[in-house]
Amino acid sequence: MTSQSSTPSSLTSKLRRLDLGGAVVGLRFLGATAGFVLGEGEIVLVDAEETRVEAHKGAVLSVAGDDRRLLTGGDDGRVVATTADGAMQALFEQKGRWIDQVAAGADGTVAFSAGKTAHFLPVKGERKSHDFPSTVGGLAFAPKGTRLAVAHYGGVSLWFPNAQAKPEFLEWKGSHRGVLWSPDMRFVVTTMQEAALHGWRLADGGHMRMSGYPSRVTSMAFTAGGKFLATSGSSEAILWPFASKEGPMGKQPSMLAPRDVRVSSVAAHPRDEVVACGYEDGLVLMVRISDGAEILLRAPDGAPVTALAWRGDGGALGIGTESGAAGLIAF
């Protein structure tokens, strides 16, 4: 697939610029409110006005959430849920522990990890815990149900916290970090410490090796309907095809929005086959997958884009950077 290389159209005049005063490490929309998570513990909630709350006394290590709650884990040993009105609830606290990962379930459940122990918090009932072979590198709930994918050294474990059975182990040598389910729950994919992705077809345990990146992949997202997996890690957005039952094996990825600067963050539109791409120099493009058409949303300023998130209806995009220069753009 040949990507467009002509000068893109621009919507930069619609960008609402924000100076948040600290590096953005995560971003989620809570309804119409954008929640920007800063690395030193603050959350900035932005709608018509800005509201700042201190969720952690220390560094934020992990961010997740749904359209109701923003979940954060910190080096203060706390898991905190923050809502759009600025209300905060500590879901867990243990001094001396680092909360490396957090995840939000579709039914209001929560998972988090400290070291090699993963914890599951049901909406009602007692917390459940399980020790894995090594430090948990990533956590993700299946789109339906309470099954958790837990990435660690040597592969991924699929854990049913409500079952007595041992987790199912998907093996592949190496250090696995971020983990993601496909929307149809047929595939699980991890980012690795090396410059590659690895995936499994759950129907038969088949392996899917996705390599060739010049740098480690730190951001990935399935497009609406799960047809493509968009990733960072190169000087263009790499989209692996997942529409067929075999996944991407034997197929070439699409490459969109090529530049001489690497993509640092991607976010897939929740309804349309459109991807937002943020780059290490601060530029942000919106790209249509079908023909590679590009629209410039933010001009480069030298600060890497560290977070992108679409509003639930796809009508707005939030942008966060390493310098704290952020923005919101409505369509």
Side-chain angles (χ1 to χ4, degrees):
M1 179 175 178
T2 302
S3 301
Q4 295 199 178
S5 57
S6 59
T7 302
S9 302
S10 176
L11 290 176
T12 56
S13 62
K14 299 184 69 174
L15 181 67
R16 175 184 171 188
R17 297 183 181 277
L18 305 166
D19 184 3
L20 303 182
V24 178
V25 297
L27 169 58
R28 295 290 187 280
F29 271 91
L30 305 171
T33 300
F36 295 85
V37 183
L38 307 186
E40 295 305 310
E42 278 192 321
I43 296 175
V44 185
L45 300 164
V46 182
D47 43 33
E49 300 179 349
E50 295 182 23
T51 302
R52 288 178 179 260
V53 296
E54 186 181 50
H56 299 273
K57 295 186 180 299
V60 176
L61 305 178
S62 49
V63 180
D66 52 31
D67 61 358
R68 302 178 304 277
R69 297 187 299 176
L70 180 57
L71 301 177
T72 50
D75 67 1
D76 57 358
R78 284 161 48 92
V79 177
V80 178
T82 303
T83 52
D85 61 0
M88 293 179 292
Q89 179 186 8
L91 304 179
F92 176 84
E93 184 170 0
Q94 185 176 350
K95 291 183 179 180
R97 302 305 304 270
W98 287 16
I99 308 301
D100 303 306
Q101 306 294 332
V102 290
D107 57 355
T109 54
V110 172
F112 63 94
S113 69
K116 65 179 184 179
T117 304
H119 305 271
F120 169 75
L121 290 175
V123 176
K124 296 181 180 179
E126 297 295 319
R127 171 168 53 94
K128 298 178 181 180
S129 305
H130 187 86
D131 289 340
F132 290 89
S134 61
T135 298
V136 174
L139 279 176
F141 278 96
K144 297 179 181 179
T146 56
R147 200 176 198 188
L148 274 163
V150 183
H152 48 74
Y153 189 84
V156 170
S157 295
L158 303 182
W159 178 37
F160 275 113
N162 293 326
Q164 297 297 321
K166 291 182 179 180
E168 177 185 354
F169 182 46
L170 306 175
E171 185 177 7
W172 186 261
K173 185 172 62 176
S175 181
H176 299 262
R177 299 173 67 89
V179 62
L180 197 60
W181 295 79
S182 63
D184 59 12
M185 297 173 56
R186 292 188 297 136
F187 306 100
V188 170
V189 181
T190 63
T191 61
M192 300 192 68
Q193 182 63 39
E194 60 192 273
L197 304 176
H198 195 80
W200 293 264
R201 286 193 307 265
L202 298 185
D204 60 3
H207 292 281
M208 300 177 295
R209 179 78 170 157
M210 291 159 277
S211 57
Y213 290 92
S215 64
R216 188 165 67 83
V217 177
T218 57
S219 179
M220 61 178 177
F222 275 100
T223 59
K227 188 175 179 180
F228 295 97
L229 176 67
T231 72
S232 67
S234 185
S235 56
E236 58 265 307
I238 305 297
L239 275 73
W240 296 95
F242 274 81
S244 72
K245 64 180 181 180
E246 293 84 14
M249 290 303 88
K251 304 178 181 69
Q252 291 297 314
S254 302
M255 292 171 281
L256 299 179
R259 297 185 66 228
D260 57 1
V261 179
R262 286 180 183 167
V263 175
S264 55
S265 186
V266 295
H269 192 280
R271 297 182 180 179
D272 301 325
E273 289 204 338
V274 169
V275 176
C277 304
Y279 294 80
E280 290 184 346
D281 63 355
L283 182 139
V284 179
L285 292 172
M286 181 169 63
V287 188
R288 188 168 57 209
I289 296 172
S290 61
D291 60 1
E294 303 169 2
I295 297 177
L296 179 66
L297 302 183
R298 185 179 190 270
D301 63 358
V305 176
T306 51
L308 294 170
W310 292 94
R311 198 171 67 198
D313 62 359
L317 180 76
I319 302 166
T321 71
E322 191 175 272
S323 70
L328 288 172
I329 186 165
F331 304 101

